[in-house]
């Protein structure tokens, strides 16, 4: 009682924490990410055609609409204006192969929001990165998609392992890029490879993405130059901590160098093919699923790099980045718990760091 009287005499106001708030809102942060995603969107549209823009628009619209409907149906606060759903939909659209249908992009965006975001409690509570989770499900469960969309054919090779990691192309699609079902350059540097094989595109073409439409892959990851410009923008806007993507890239590069006997062309080829650059900029930097503590974020980035290269050299190149991120998403709550900072005046770390 005496303490309260003293506080009143000093004109002090007692309030619950937090006492310091960041000026940037979730909406503003997501808007910056949307702006950054426009760089690979424009590059993909130039390389593949206007269908890439349609992927992004359909994905963002389907994601935002499904979040609105879900929250209305279950009487939850409608948060679609924070733009996080739109970001998820854009990411789904940019990770699609060119030959996929827009209906598939829409369905994946809805599943990403409903299953991997809203069922976990919404923004800030999901355990897995929604865009990565649904994309890996699309990659690993082709038989389900064939049941849902019988108009699709699955292009496989003689290997049963490749059959599991099948690619979808639309039957008789005359507007599809030539050879979209052919193996991407990533297939030729994974497994037991220690050098870049002859006949593959040179590093300049791989980096800028021109004339790469015929090699398939995700439409948003083709132009590495555009993705790195997006990373620079996010760093300058203080949205992304540069140590996270740089640690991831450095880990992947170091492992590739060791594997190849310090062949720098081989190392750069690994960095510039597949989803390492795209995943490092837009996926592992996710606030919710990428670690809360400084040490946890470091372990997360390095762990993603180690697992990515393990999958690649283990002959699971097509989904290495996605699988690595999902595994580390599952491990990061434990990592955060053991790397949480000590509270001033306490000898032990808090037992329940993550709420």
């Amino acid at each position: 009682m005496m303490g309260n009287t003293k506080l009143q005499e000093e004109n002090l106001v007692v309030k619950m924490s937090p006492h310091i708030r960041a000026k940037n809102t979730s909406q503003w942060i997501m808007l910056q990410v949307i702006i950054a995603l426009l760089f690979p969107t424009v590059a993909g549209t130039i390389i593949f055609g206007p269908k890439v823009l349609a992927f992004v628009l359909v994905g963002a619209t389907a994601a935002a609409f499904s979040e609105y409907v879900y929250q209305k149906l279950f009487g939850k606060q409608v948060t679609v204006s924070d733009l996080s759903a739109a970001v998820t939909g854009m990411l789904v659209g940019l990770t699609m192969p060119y030959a996929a249908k827009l209906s598939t992009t829409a369905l994946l965006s809805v599943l990403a929001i409903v299953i991997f975001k809203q069922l976990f409690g919404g923004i800030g509570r999901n355990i897995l990165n929604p865009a990565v989770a649904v994309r890996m499900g699309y990659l690993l469960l082709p038989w389900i998609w064939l049941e849902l969309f019988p108009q699709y054919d699955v292009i496989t090779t003689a290997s049963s392992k490749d059959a599991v990691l099948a690619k979808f192309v639309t039957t008789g699609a005359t507007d599809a890029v030539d050879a979209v079902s052919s193996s991407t350059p990533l297939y030729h540097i994974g497994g037991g490879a220690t050098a870049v094989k002859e006949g593959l595109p040179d590093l300049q073409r791989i980096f800028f993405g021109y004339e790469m439409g015929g090699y398939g892959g995700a439409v948003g990851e083709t132009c590495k130059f555009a993705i790195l410009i997006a990373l620079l923008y996010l760093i300058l806007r203080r949205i992304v901590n540069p140590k996270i993507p740089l640690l991831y890239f450095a880990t992947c590069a170091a492992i590739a160098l060791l594997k190849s006997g310090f062949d720098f062309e081989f190392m750069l080829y690994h960095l510039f093919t597949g989803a390492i650059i795209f995943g490092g900029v837009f996926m592992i930097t996710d606030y919710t699923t990428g670690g809360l503590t400084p040490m946890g974020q470091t372990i997360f980035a390095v762990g993603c790099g180690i697992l990515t290269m393990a999958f690649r050299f283990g002959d699971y190149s097509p989904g290495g980045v996605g699988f690595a991120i999902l595994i580390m998403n599952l491990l990061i709550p434990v990592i955060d718990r053991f790397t949480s900072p000590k509270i001033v005046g306490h000898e032990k770390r808090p037992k329940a760091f993550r709420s």
Side-chain angles (χ1 to χ4, degrees), residues 341-350:
K342 295 179 182 178
I343 299 175
V344 177
H346 292 251
E347 294 182 359
K348 296 182 179 180
R349 294 184 174 92

Side-chain angles (χ1 to χ4, degrees), residues 53-100:
L53 183 59
F55 277 143
V56 172
L57 293 175
V58 168
T61 302
F65 181 73
S66 61
E67 180 164 284
Y68 176 82
V69 171
Y70 180 93
Q71 291 174 337
K72 277 290 188 181
L73 286 176
F74 290 93
K76 298 180 179 294
Q77 179 184 0
V78 176
T79 59
V80 69
S81 60
D82 65 18
L83 302 179
S84 61
V87 169
T88 297
M90 291 180 71
L91 288 171
V92 171
L94 289 172
T95 58
M96 298 302 292
Y98 181 85

Side-chain angles (χ1 to χ4, degrees), residues 63 66-67 85 88 108-119 130:
S66 61
E67 180 164 284
T88 297
L108 289 177
S109 298
V110 171
L111 294 176
I113 294 299
V114 174
I115 296 179
F116 295 106
K117 182 183 178 184
Q118 290 302 322
L119 288 183

